[in-house]
Amino acid sequence: MKIAVEGCCHGELDKIYETIEFLEKKEGVKVDLLLCCGDFQAVRNEGDMKCMAVPAKYRTMQTFYKYYSGEKKAPILTIFIGGNHEASNHLQELPYGGWVAPNIYYLGYAGVIRYKGIRIGGLSGIYKSHDYRKGHHEFPPYNPDTLRSVYHIRNIEVFKLKQIQMPVDIFMSHDWPRGIYHYGSTEELLRKKKFLRHEVESSSLGSPAAEELLAHLQPSYWFSAHLHVKFAAVMQHPPKGNAAPRETKFLSLDKCLPHREFLQIVDVPERSDSEGLEYDPEWLAILKATDSLQRTTPDPWNPPENNGLHDRWDFRASEAAMMEVVEDLSGELSVPENFSRTVPAFNPDRPLPHSAPSRGANAQTTELCAKVGLTDLYGRAGEQAGAGRGQEGEEQEEEDELSEYPTDTSGQSCSFNPDEIAIEDEWEEEEEEEEAGEGEGGGTAEIHTPGCLLLPEPKSDVTPVRLPLMNLPAPSHSTPAPLEDDEDGAAARILKRSSGESAEPGSTSTTPRIKRRNQLIYAAADEDEEDETGG
C-alpha cells in the first residue's frame, strides 16, 4: 500500500492531488491514502475565513470549498490533523473526528483510526504552555485571544493518548516532538533554517507534549510539518520492560509551494482486506472512560494521578471495555460515510464577504456521541458561552445605566499575544525565501515532486542506519529487521558551524523581522513555571 504524506496543506488541495497524479504516472504506482500534517484550512465559506488565524492578506478561499460543495471529490482517501492555521469553527464541530467532505476525514482534537489494518493516530494543534491545562472552552465568534488559543493542544488529549497500550503504526502531529532534531542531520537542518540554531542547541525547539507521546507510543512512523522544511530522523527507543526495543522513523515536510519538498510517498504493507476507514476499539473505549474528565472552561486542570487524591487514575482500556464499544456500534466498526453539509458553500459568483461564522452542531458528532456515550464538547462550550454572554449583557446594562458612556472597549484591546508575532513572522519569512528563490532560479514550476520514493539518509546520534523504502514492521511489532544499505541514497551533508552563526540572536527585540517565531510558539521553561505559579 502506497501512502502519500504531505506537510502543511494551506488549502491547496487541487495542487496536492495534481502532484500525486503526476507522481503516479511518473513512478508507475497507485497511491491508496493521503496523510496531511496540519494547516489543512478546511474553509467552506467567507464566515469560516474569519475564524482562521492568519494575516488578513492571506485569508483566501483556496480550493477546499470545491470538495465540500460537491463540485469535486477527493480522488484519494485523505486523513488530516489540525495545525495553527485552520477554520477552527469548522473543526470544532468534530471534536472526535469526522468527514469534512466526501473522502476527506479529520482525526479530531486527538484520534486513532484504522485503515486496512494500519493503525493511524494524530494530535491536532500546537503546544502553548499557558493554554495546555485549560478545557476546550472556545466558541465563535472568537476574540483575538480565543482565535489563537482554540488551536492550542490541551493536556486532556495527551492524557487520553497516553492510555493507549496497543502499538501504533503511524502518528501525526503538526509541531515536532521536542528533541527529535538530535536524531537526524542537525547541521543540514540548521543550514536550511539558520534562525533555529538557538532553540536546537538549547533543546527548546518543539513540543514537550509531543515528546512525551513519542516516548510513550513509540510508533513505527511519526510525521510532522509546521517548520516548513523537510527533515528525516531515526530514533531508537529504550526497551520497555522485557519487550524488544522499538524504532521510530520521523519525517517532517514543507508546505505546498513550487520548488519545495512537501510530499513523500511511503510503502506500507497492508494488514487486512477491509475497505474504508474503521473505528479503533481501544481508542473509543478510552474516549468513553475519560468522558467525565472533559472540561469546557478555561480553568486549569491536572490529570488524575496515583497520589491518594483520586478514585481512579488508570483509564487504560480493558478487553471488556473494548467489547462494550463494539456492542455500542452494533458490531460495525466501519466509519459511516455520513457527511452532510452544515453551512452553505462558497459561491464565487455570489460572494458574501460579510457572512458571520457558523456555530452549529454537526450530525456526525451527535450520532457518535449518542452511540458511544460521549459529550459533544462543542455543544457544551456553546451553551456555556451563551450563558456567559447573557450574564455579561445583563451586567453591562446595569453598568451603562450608572455611567454616562458605554464601557465596552473590547474593540480597542491592545493586549500582547506572542502568537500574533509568530504568525506574521512565519509568513514574512516565507515571502523572503520565495523572493530569494525567484532571484536565483529565474522561474517557477507548476508542480514540484520528489525525485524518488526514498527518504533522505538521516544522521542518527544513536545508530548509523540508513532508510530504505518505508516498510512497517510485522504485525507482531517485533524488533525491525536490520536496514539494508541504499546505494542510491545520497549522503547527508554535514556542515561546519560558521563563525557568523555563533552569536545568539537578540531575544528581547520586538521587531517582527527577527526570525524567532518558533521560540514564541514553544514556551520556554521559565514561562512554564510562571503558568504553574500564576494561576
Side-chain angles (χ1 to χ4, degrees):
M1 178 173 66
K2 297 292 190 298
I3 298 179
V5 183
E6 198 274 335
C8 296
C9 178
H10 289 297
E12 298 284 7
L13 281 180
D14 280 357
K15 293 180 181 178
I16 292 169
Y17 292 134
E18 288 167 7
T19 300
I20 292 174
E21 182 182 10
F22 176 88
L23 266 181
E24 287 178 326
K25 294 178 180 178
K26 178 182 177 183
E27 303 291 343
V29 298
K30 176 62 179 175
V31 173
D32 302 281
L33 178 67
L34 170 64
L35 302 178
C36 295
C37 300
D39 286 354
F40 192 80
Q41 296 184 7
V43 179
R44 302 164 293 184
N45 54 32
E46 295 93 332
D48 284 359
M49 276 201 292
K50 298 173 183 177
C51 299
M52 191 165 60
V54 298
K57 63 181 177 179
Y58 291 104
R59 287 181 180 170
T60 55
M61 192 57 61
Q62 303 296 43
T63 57
F64 169 78
Y65 76 91
K66 298 178 182 178
Y67 300 86
Y68 175 79
S69 68
E71 177 184 341
K72 291 185 175 183
K73 182 178 179 179
I76 303 165
L77 176 61
T78 302
I79 302 174
F80 74 96
I81 58 170
N84 57 313
H85 301 311
E86 303 290 358
S88 297
N89 63 320
H90 185 190
L91 299 190
Q92 274 199 292
E93 294 178 7
L94 301 165
Y96 307 110
W99 303 103
V100 297
N103 227 24
I104 303 177
Y105 191 86
Y106 169 54
L107 273 180
Y109 288 132
V112 179
I113 209 81
R114 292 176 182 261
Y115 180 66
K116 294 189 175 181
I118 303 300
R119 205 165 184 226
I120 302 168
L123 177 67
S124 292
I126 63 171
Y127 175 81
K128 196 71 175 176
S129 63
H130 60 71
D131 289 320
Y132 186 59
R133 296 165 58 211
K134 297 178 181 179
H136 292 290
H137 65 94
E138 296 86 357
F139 193 80
Y142 306 114
N143 62 39
D145 291 328
T146 58
L147 181 66
R148 289 164 175 80
S149 68
V150 67
Y151 57 72
H152 292 158
I153 292 168
R154 306 300 154 89
N155 61 356
I156 179 62
E157 309 304 338
V158 175
F159 179 76
K160 287 185 283 190
L161 288 166
K162 288 184 67 177
Q163 306 308 305
I164 292 174
Q165 303 173 80
M166 299 169 63
V168 174
D169 299 303
I170 296 172
F171 197 84
M172 293 187 289
S173 66
H174 188 57
D175 47 359
W176 298 13
R178 185 174 61 183
I180 192 64
Y181 31 82
H182 296 309
Y183 296 90
S185 182
T186 307
E187 287 302 320
E188 179 72 5
L189 170 65
L190 295 178
R191 183 186 67 80
K192 296 176 180 177
K193 301 284 184 178
K194 294 181 175 62
F195 58 90
L196 296 180
R197 181 172 291 278
H198 173 74
E199 290 98 320
V200 168
E201 292 181 347
S202 63
S203 293
S204 61
L205 174 66
S207 165
E211 177 187 32
E212 194 175 333
L213 288 174
L214 176 59
H216 174 77
L217 297 174
Q218 300 184 3
S220 299
Y221 299 94
W222 189 297
F223 301 129
S224 295
H226 192 46
L227 298 185
H228 297 170
V229 63
K230 184 174 183 177
F231 178 77
V234 178
M235 183 177 185
Q236 298 280 357
H237 299 281
K240 288 185 175 181
N242 297 324
R246 293 184 52 76
E247 175 186 83
T248 296
K249 298 184 179 81
F250 173 83
L251 176 67
S252 178
L253 291 164
D254 207 331
K255 68 175 180 176
C256 182
L257 280 177
H259 307 300
R260 305 290 276 269
E261 296 176 302
F262 65 90
L263 190 73
Q264 183 81 50
I265 296 179
V266 297
D267 198 9
V268 178
E270 300 176 13
R271 294 205 181 134
S272 76
D273 297 327
S274 59
E275 294 294 331
L277 288 182
E278 293 182 321
Y279 288 121
D280 184 87
E282 184 188 23
W283 179 245
L284 288 184
I286 291 170
L287 289 180
K288 188 171 183 177
T290 57
D291 187 68
S292 62
L293 303 179
Q294 303 272 30
R295 298 291 183 272
T296 53
T297 70
D299 301 322
W301 175 85
N302 290 319
E305 299 178 23
N306 184 11
N307 55 10
L309 300 177
H310 305 278
D311 294 332
R312 183 180 181 183
W313 58 88
D314 185 350
F315 290 82
R316 291 177 292 180
S318 64
E319 184 176 349
M322 287 187 266
M323 290 301 298
E324 183 178 321
V325 295
V326 173
E327 292 176 3
D328 291 340
L329 297 172
S330 302
E332 182 56 63
L333 289 177
S334 296
V335 177
E337 296 183 2
N338 55 352
F339 165 77
S340 62
R341 287 187 291 275
T342 53
V343 298
F346 170 70
N347 184 345
D349 296 327
R350 298 182 61 187
L352 300 170
H354 302 295
S355 59
S358 68
R359 43 183 178 178
N362 192 299
Q364 297 179 69
T365 300
T366 303
E367 181 180 339
L368 180 64
C369 289
K371 285 184 177 180
V372 182
L374 304 177
T375 300
D376 184 346
L377 298 176
Y378 190 53
R380 178 189 283 182
E383 292 173 1
Q384 293 177 340
R389 285 170 185 145
Q391 183 177 356
E392 289 174 3
E394 293 175 2
E395 294 174 352
Q396 185 66 60
E397 288 177 4
E398 293 177 2
E399 291 178 3
D400 288 347
E401 289 176 0
L402 300 174
S403 173
E404 183 179 356
Y405 304 104
T407 56
D408 180 12
T409 58
S410 58
Q412 304 169 21
S413 173
C414 58
S415 60
F416 173 73
N417 186 315
D419 265 356
E420 200 161 23
I421 297 297
I423 291 172
E424 296 283 356
D425 196 41
E426 174 180 344
W427 295 96
E428 289 174 0
E429 173 205 334
E430 295 301 327
E431 283 181 335
E432 290 175 3
E433 290 181 358
E434 289 163 22
E435 290 172 2
E438 290 173 2
E440 295 172 5
T444 57
E446 290 299 320
I447 297 176
H448 173 66
T449 62
C452 61
L453 306 185
L454 299 177
L455 282 179
E457 179 184 5
K459 172 180 173 292
S460 174
D461 293 339
V462 179
T463 176
V465 297
R466 296 185 180 182
L467 285 176
L469 281 172
M470 298 178 99
N471 294 309
L472 287 173
S476 62
H477 292 278
S478 57
T479 304
L483 296 168
E484 299 178 359
D485 286 351
D486 172 25
E487 297 178 356
D488 297 328
R493 296 178 58 190
I494 309 301
L495 302 182
K496 294 183 178 179
R497 177 173 172 173
S498 63
S499 58
E501 293 174 338
S502 60
E504 247 182 61
S507 59
T508 58
S509 172
T510 57
T511 306
R513 306 295 293 182
I514 296 176
K515 303 302 182 296
R516 304 301 299 166
R517 63 186 175 87
N518 295 288
Q519 193 170 21
L520 294 168
I521 291 175
Y522 306 117
D526 290 342
E527 183 181 353
D528 287 338
E529 293 175 1
E530 291 175 3
D531 288 342
E532 293 294 329
T533 59

